[in-house]
Amino acid sequence: MSIYAKDTDPAFQAAGAKLGLEIWCVENQKLVSVPTPSHGRFYSGSAYLVLSTILPKSGIPQHDIHYWTGKNANKVDSALASDKALELDAALGSCTVQYMELQGQETRKFLSYFKPCIIPIEGVYASQQDHIKRETYKVTLLACKGDHVVHVKEVPFSRSSLNHNDVFILDTASKIFLFSGCNSSIQERAKALEVVQYIKENKHCGNCEVATVEDGKLVGDPDVGEFWSLFGGYAPIPQDSPSPVQKQSEAPFVKLSWITTQGKIGPCQTDSLSKEMLETDKCYMLDCDSEIFVWMGRHSSVTERKTSISATEGFLRSQGRSAGTHVTSITEGLETAKFRSYFDNWPQTVELKLYEEGRDKVAAMFKHQGYEVKELPDEEDIQPFIDCRGTLKVWWVDGDRLSLVPASEQRKLFSGDCYILQYTYLGNERDENLFYAWLGGGSVMEDRRDTISHMNAIVESSRGNPVVAQIMENKEPSQFFSILQTLIVFKGGRSQRYKKFVAEKGIADETYDESKTALFRVQGTSPNNMQAIQVDTVSGSLNSSYCYILQTGTSVITWIGNLSSTRDHDLLDRMLELINPTWQAISVREGSESDVFWSALGEKAEYARGKEIKGYIEDPHLFMLSGTEGDFKVQEIYNFTQDDLNTEDVLVLDCHIEIYVWIGSHSNIKSKQQALTLGLKFLETDVLVEGLSLETPIYVVSEGHEPPFFTRFFEWDPSKSNMHGNSFERKLAILKGKPRQLEAPIRNSWKAFSRETTPDSLRSKSMSSNGRTRSFSPAPVSFPIIKSSSTPIARKLFRGSSLNGSPDGLFASAGSPESEEKLSKNANNIQADGTEDDINLLVYPYERLTVNSKDPETSIDITKREAYLSEEEFKVKFGTTKRDFYKLPKWKQNKQKMALHLF
């Protein structure tokens, strides 16, 4: 919101109050507003001011100011635009970043506002334009440079303007020609086609032909002959003289200078840069050779800031710097990632959302005064973006050996081990697969490397192109927990390398055993997302915001923190039952502990009280990766869309708490393992200087197989990801109105990894094709034993469905038109939380439905055991009808089911 003052230009009234772009132009020494239909039309004889306002998830508006100067603009207008940028910054509360933009040398961020391009117009902007109709169409030749944003420059209409490195557009009255230099990239040619589309729609009203001409192609195409005839006939384009290769130094030239109030620039004598050097009442210039930053302290005046920017522009002229040197002006506290990257150990600032911070304070205050605080919604209570009713398979990694984990042990992981998880779920009319490599926090590096290698081999040996992810213990994404629903993580490990490691280091083996004392922290957001994590058996592991289970070998004690919620208490009861239903626990409230309790934890000591607030998914940033391992380059793509996902590229979508490596079909990355390595390299680079952890989850997504939890960051058009050809061929097909001819065929359903698709090198005696259903029966905690199972369990597509003996023949002929039609109809009716459709299932007696049944019915959905009871028996057992039962909250349903051994 603007802070409007008496001396503020009237043109800035209400500036920044709306999202998007606002543009002003200097006309007769005054600023005039440019109407929205004219946005993107820049005159080379004028100077402009562009304000971009966005509202990120942090809830605080962000403003960027760009002052653009045409190549023919006079110095007075240019200086006025520069001064007005500072005036606009002051009106917005000095919370903007300002960029100097010169025609032909614009920043990538500026060009991203006006996709696909800006084509400057000769002349001067006039708010009252006289529309003069041209009698003859002016033929123009445009040079295009760039892959994701493109610089378009008009060049003389002459054969000598052409070269082998760039892409050119020849715009005539009846036809637009695209000439691609033989050394230009596919991405540059594809981007130039977007410019052709823009010209066709805006200058020709969509009525003109489009022709493409390849450098070196001389015969066989009438368009080629017509193109060269416009230049007076064909003649060879001379080879470009090789430009001297300038090898960039590893450490770029960086120099910090102080700018005095008189505009004099004095260097700061120092070998390294630190934030402490920047004084809040001064202005500084950071010279980074190809880019210059003007840093303005919070307590510097507007006059001092104007003087500093003028001094910097004068410095550029006196040094004879390239016109491509960008100048960015920033106010203290709003430093860009690029600026911060030049300083040593720039401090990380963690700002909590006001809502989260205030919620915790208010809740704690009321609880301390003895009031019951109603449970507040949690940011983590987000619905997963995929169906979490699929099947799961888990492998334990022990060096070269893979062992399939029985279904009853799949949710019990050891911190010293590594695991591969394959989750199969119903996507868009086909099975989709998601692989996780879970790396325990105490696992050895060799096991971690083998886990990634094994997962890569499994994926490559199977049909389809599934999403894979590398996740570290304690950094798991929320979706991982939603898929598992319940997870227990034990201390220690069982792999040979882990055992050898602790033996060599002389470290006590903490591997879980029922005979040992163990402390579990219970956490989660709902019964469908809860975890029990074994922590150090010391008082310092406690936290007033959680509940704990203390197992001493002879007794079990549950500890309830004073700041824990009623939801936490419910999760504690559920987790206790799941870990071991035979335990008779003693419940202890914080503050009423016995000496026995503290003795089991060594002694009473200080412990934490507040719950750590996890980071939330911030506004994502998209980056293009290029170069080799020794020359790794990262370039941000601003204001990205799906069209920026070029099939030749490798891109990273950085969401701060997780990253996605997107692999184009025509990129040079051929394995998921390669992509994960690139993801780790990106984390090491930390382009945004945001303190990215090397343990941040990394997803690898292949083009054409993008999952919903990736596409949610885009306005997604599935047809664009299902096309054949490189990016140039695809966009040419769209431009010529025949994209459907290039659509890829519908991919076959991806089969779950099983013995039939297992490579011989990965098979072990303990492996089988055993799958699992969504939930599992409560089982006492025992030392998990990896054993084989020869009975395959078919995946249920929906809850309440049966693959065997289905009464309506829904699955009688898998893949048949009849079954597909019935499947689509039933998919809309079967609900996750129990509905009327569940009432119409087959009926079985209570004795065959319990989790401890001696003669269990195997064809049921074990997450809905109660649904198979007859209406009469259901009412006897539950004391209510099915219809009323399913109206109850989920946790109440589960509690009643648990009491009847149906959960």
Side-chain angles (χ1 to χ4, degrees):
M1 182 176 292
S2 60
I3 304 174
Y4 193 72
K6 291 182 180 179
D7 56 348
T8 302
D9 194 309
F12 295 147
Q13 188 170 8
K18 61 180 181 180
L19 302 181
L21 294 179
E22 296 174 74
I23 302 179
W24 299 267
C25 183
V26 178
E27 182 182 17
N28 299 324
Q29 300 296 299
K30 292 183 179 180
L31 281 185
V32 295
S33 179
V34 177
T36 302
S38 296
H39 286 186
R41 293 170 57 87
F42 292 88
Y43 286 82
S44 60
S46 298
Y48 292 79
L49 212 59
V50 177
L51 172 64
S52 169
T53 303
I54 63 171
L55 185 65
K57 290 186 178 180
S58 64
I60 303 172
Q62 290 183 2
H63 306 285
D64 285 323
I65 298 174
H66 304 257
Y67 50 102
W68 185 91
T69 305
K71 64 179 181 180
N72 299 324
N74 60 58
K75 293 182 179 180
V76 175
D77 287 352
S78 301
L80 181 61
S82 176
D83 289 344
K84 289 296 180 181
L86 274 173
E87 189 177 318
L88 177 57
D89 172 66
L92 292 170
S94 296
C95 60
T96 73
V97 179
Q98 302 158 54
Y99 302 85
M100 183 178 73
E101 308 283 356
L102 299 179
Q103 181 179 337
Q105 303 294 334
E106 296 88 354
T107 62
R108 296 173 66 89
K109 175 176 273 193
F110 181 80
L111 291 175
S112 71
Y113 301 143
F114 308 102
K115 291 182 178 180
C117 64
I118 59 172
I119 304 177
I121 305 167
E122 291 295 326
V124 177
Y125 175 80
S127 52
Q128 301 296 326
Q129 293 275 359
D130 293 327
H131 299 282
I132 302 174
K133 189 174 181 180
R134 293 181 178 271
E135 294 183 0
T136 59
Y137 192 88
K138 180 186 176 183
V139 177
T140 55
L141 182 64
L142 304 171
C144 301
K145 294 188 180 207
D147 42 21
H148 287 277
V149 292
V150 57
H151 285 92
V152 179
K153 178 183 178 182
E154 184 175 352
V155 294
F157 177 30
S158 167
R159 187 189 297 109
S160 60
S161 296
L162 304 175
N163 62 56
H164 298 291
N165 297 322
D166 297 323
V167 183
F168 295 85
I169 296 173
L170 181 61
D171 180 21
T172 70
S174 59
K175 185 179 288 189
I176 303 174
F177 296 88
L178 180 76
F179 175 84
S180 301
C182 58
N183 297 329
S184 62
S185 69
I186 295 295
Q187 296 95 315
E188 288 176 316
R189 300 179 187 187
K191 200 65 185 178
L193 275 177
E194 293 183 19
V195 179
V196 169
Q197 176 82 22
Y198 173 80
I199 295 173
K200 179 180 178 181
E201 292 176 354
N202 289 274
K203 293 185 66 177
H204 296 267
C205 300
N207 299 318
C208 72
E209 296 182 52
V210 174
T212 57
V213 178
E214 292 185 26
D215 186 6
K217 185 176 181 180
L218 306 178
V219 294
D221 190 338
D223 289 330
V224 175
E226 184 180 355
F227 173 80
W228 288 114
S229 68
L230 295 170
F231 290 93
Y234 173 78
I237 299 174
Q239 291 293 330
D240 300 318
S241 57
S243 56
V245 178
Q246 296 181 350
K247 188 176 180 180
Q248 293 184 347
S249 59
E250 293 184 2
F253 169 80
V254 178
K255 183 179 180 181
L256 181 67
S257 301
W258 169 46
I259 306 176
T260 69
T261 54
Q262 291 77 34
K264 294 183 179 180
I265 299 175
C268 298
Q269 302 297 333
T270 180
D271 295 329
S272 61
L273 301 179
S274 65
K275 184 184 178 183
E276 290 70 26
M277 299 175 61
L278 305 174
E279 299 181 30
T280 189
D281 59 345
K282 295 181 180 178
C283 295
Y284 296 84
M285 182 183 76
L286 184 67
D287 185 358
C288 306
D289 197 20
S290 61
E291 184 172 16
I292 287 182
F293 294 92
V294 178
W295 184 90
M296 302 172 293
R298 279 283 178 190
H299 296 147
S300 60
S301 66
V302 174
T303 301
E304 288 174 323
R305 298 180 183 190
K306 286 183 178 181
T307 301
S308 298
I309 293 176
S310 297
T312 301
E313 293 173 351
F315 171 80
L316 286 176
R317 289 190 294 269
S318 65
Q319 293 287 315
R321 290 290 183 90
S322 164
T325 305
H326 293 137
V327 177
T328 303
S329 304
I330 51 182
T331 304
E332 179 183 0
L334 298 168
E335 296 83 0
T336 63
K338 188 74 175 291
F339 179 85
R340 288 183 276 123
S341 68
Y342 292 113
F343 289 76
D344 295 335
N345 302 316
W346 189 279
Q348 295 291 326
T349 56
V350 180
E351 297 181 2
L352 301 178
K353 291 183 178 179
L354 292 177
Y355 168 72
E356 292 174 336
E357 191 177 38
R359 177 182 65 176
D360 287 350
K361 288 181 177 178
V362 171
M365 180 180 67
F366 275 86
K367 285 189 176 183
H368 275 300
Q369 296 181 18
Y371 292 97
E372 182 66 25
V373 179
K374 186 178 179 180
E375 186 66 23
L376 294 171
D378 197 308
E379 284 280 336
E380 295 176 354
D381 288 338
I382 57 173
Q383 295 299 316
F385 291 88
I386 60 174
D387 181 5
C388 289
R389 298 168 295 174
T391 57
L392 180 70
K393 298 177 74 174
V394 181
W395 290 270
W396 169 55
V397 179
D398 186 11
D400 295 333
R401 189 165 67 98
L402 280 182
S403 299
L404 191 66
V405 179
S408 61
E409 305 292 329
Q410 287 178 342
R411 295 160 177 86
K412 302 170 186 176
L413 309 181
F414 280 82
S415 180
D417 291 335
C418 297
Y419 301 84
I420 298 172
L421 296 87
Q422 177 193 351
Y423 178 63
T424 305
Y425 63 97
L426 185 64
N428 185 18
E429 298 182 355
R430 64 168 182 264
D431 279 357
E432 299 289 358
N433 279 264
L434 171 58
F435 281 87
Y436 284 106
W438 187 88
L439 311 179
S443 60
V444 297
M445 193 57 66
E446 292 85 350
D447 279 346
R448 296 181 184 183
R449 283 196 288 262
D450 281 347
T451 301
I452 301 300
S453 179
H454 285 316
M455 182 173 66
N456 186 66
I458 292 173
V459 170
E460 288 190 342
S461 66
S462 307
R463 295 169 57 191
N465 218 333
V467 176
V468 303
Q470 173 183 312
I471 58 176
M472 288 291 298
E473 180 188 358
N474 293 326
K475 289 287 186 179
E476 297 93 344
S478 58
Q479 181 171 266
F480 178 78
F481 290 139
S482 295
I483 289 172
L484 291 181
Q485 292 194 347
T486 303
L487 173 64
I488 305 170
V489 179
F490 300 103
K491 277 183 166 293
R494 300 151 303 141
S495 77
Q496 296 180 22
R497 286 173 176 155
Y498 175 80
K499 297 296 185 185
K500 181 181 178 182
F501 173 78
V502 296
E504 290 178 348
K505 297 293 183 180
I507 304 172
D509 190 346
E510 297 181 312
T511 303
Y512 176 79
D513 188 327
E514 276 195 336
S515 63
K516 297 179 181 179
T517 300
L519 182 64
F520 294 89
R521 182 182 70 244
V522 178
Q523 61 188 38
T525 60
S526 72
N528 295 325
N529 182 338
M530 57 182 182
Q531 305 87 42
I533 311 298
Q534 187 178 356
V535 295
D536 292 337
T537 315
V538 295
S539 302
S541 297
L542 298 176
N543 188 310
S544 300
S545 297
Y546 292 95
C547 297
Y548 292 78
I549 300 171
L550 176 62
Q551 173 196 344
T552 64
T554 58
S555 62
V556 176
I557 302 172
T558 58
W559 186 85
I560 301 173
N562 285 338
L563 297 182
S564 60
S565 65
T566 53
R567 181 184 64 184
D568 295 327
H569 306 162
D570 179 53
L571 296 184
L572 176 65
D573 293 339
R574 294 170 184 275
M575 188 58 74
L576 189 67
E577 179 76 14
L578 289 173
I579 291 179
N580 196 327
T582 65
W583 280 350
Q584 297 296 320
I586 303 171
S587 182
V588 174
R589 278 273 184 181
E590 181 181 2
S592 60
E593 302 88 352
S594 65
D595 292 339
V596 174
F597 178 84
W598 294 120
S599 177
L601 298 181
E603 61 179 352
K604 186 175 182 179
E606 291 294 323
Y607 52 83
R609 299 184 63 82
K611 182 179 292 188
E612 178 185 355
I613 298 177
K614 293 184 178 181
Y616 52 91
I617 292 186
E618 299 180 355
D619 293 272
H621 295 259
L622 186 66
F623 297 90
M624 181 176 67
L625 308 185
S626 61
T628 60
E629 186 175 347
D631 184 25
F632 186 74
K633 296 179 181 178
V634 179
Q635 188 173 66
E636 183 167 5
I637 300 171
Y638 300 98
N639 298 301
F640 62 85
T641 66
Q642 183 184 353
D643 290 332
D644 287 306
L645 303 179
N646 287 337
T647 185
E648 296 82 14
D649 289 340
V650 179
L651 303 166
V652 168
L653 188 68
D654 178 5
C655 303
H656 187 67
I657 64 170
E658 57 193 26
I659 68 170
Y660 298 82
V661 181
W662 182 88
I663 307 299
S665 300
H666 290 74
S667 71
N668 57 3
I669 301 300
K670 302 305 178 187
S671 75
K672 308 287 186 181
Q673 193 167 354
Q674 272 184 289
L676 286 172
T677 302
L678 284 176
L680 284 171
K681 187 72 175 175
F682 177 84
L683 293 177
E684 292 173 1
T685 307
D686 194 11
V687 184
L688 296 177
V689 197
E690 56 185 332
L692 276 179
S693 168
L694 296 180
E695 298 181 352
T696 301
I698 304 172
Y699 287 92
V700 176
V701 177
S702 298
E703 181 184 11
H705 299 263
E706 295 88 353
F709 52 90
F710 174 82
T711 59
R712 64 188 167 123
F713 297 108
F714 302 81
E715 292 184 6
W716 196 259
D717 180 357
S719 65
K720 291 183 179 180
S721 61
N722 289 333
M723 295 182 69
H724 283 316
N726 59 40
S727 54
F728 176 78
E729 294 167 339
R730 296 179 186 185
K731 290 184 178 178
L732 183 61
I734 293 173
L735 180 62
K736 294 194 173 183
K738 47 182 179 181
R740 293 188 179 274
Q741 296 182 10
L742 290 181
E743 281 189 16
I746 296 176
R747 295 181 293 277
N748 292 326
S749 179
W750 202 92
K751 291 186 177 180
F753 179 58
S754 62
R755 179 170 291 275
E756 288 71 27
T757 58
T758 306
D760 293 336
S761 61
L762 293 178
R763 289 181 183 170
S764 69
K765 293 180 180 180
S766 59
M767 290 181 66
S768 79
S769 58
N770 181 32
R772 63 96 171 157
T773 50
R774 263 312 303 142
S775 297
F776 70 106
S777 304
V781 164
S782 58
F783 190 83
I785 299 174
I786 307 303
K787 56 186 178 180
S788 63
S789 173
S790 58
T791 305
I793 299 176
R795 186 180 78 85
K796 295 182 177 66
L797 297 180
F798 297 97
R799 293 179 176 177
S801 64
S802 171
L803 288 175
N804 300 318
S806 177
D808 57 0
L810 177 60
F811 299 101
S813 177
S816 66
E818 294 80 10
S819 67
E820 292 295 331
E821 181 180 358
K822 290 181 180 179
L823 178 61
S824 63
K825 289 180 179 178
N826 282 272
N828 297 323
N829 296 328
I830 302 174
Q831 304 296 321
D833 297 321
T835 64
E836 297 178 14
D837 298 277
D838 290 319
I839 301 173
N840 299 322
L841 297 175
L842 292 177
V843 173
Y844 296 100
Y846 170 76
E847 291 73 20
R848 297 194 64 191
L849 296 174
T850 60
V851 296
N852 53 2
S853 174
K854 294 181 179 179
D855 181 27
E857 174 57 45
T858 59
S859 64
I860 64 170
D861 180 350
I862 61 175
T863 67
K864 293 288 181 193
R865 295 175 185 273
E866 79 289 347
Y868 296 89
L869 290 170
S870 67
E871 189 66 49
E872 294 77 15
E873 191 168 15
F874 187 97
K875 195 167 183 179
V876 170
K877 295 294 183 181
F878 286 90
T880 184
T881 64
K882 287 185 180 182
R883 192 180 306 277
D884 290 337
F885 174 77
Y886 287 130
K887 293 178 182 179
L888 295 174
K890 187 70 174 178
W891 68 271
K892 285 190 176 181
Q893 293 181 29
N894 291 338
K895 199 161 188 175
Q896 292 188 39
K897 288 159 60 176
M898 193 180 299
L900 292 169
H901 305 289
L902 294 172
F903 182 80

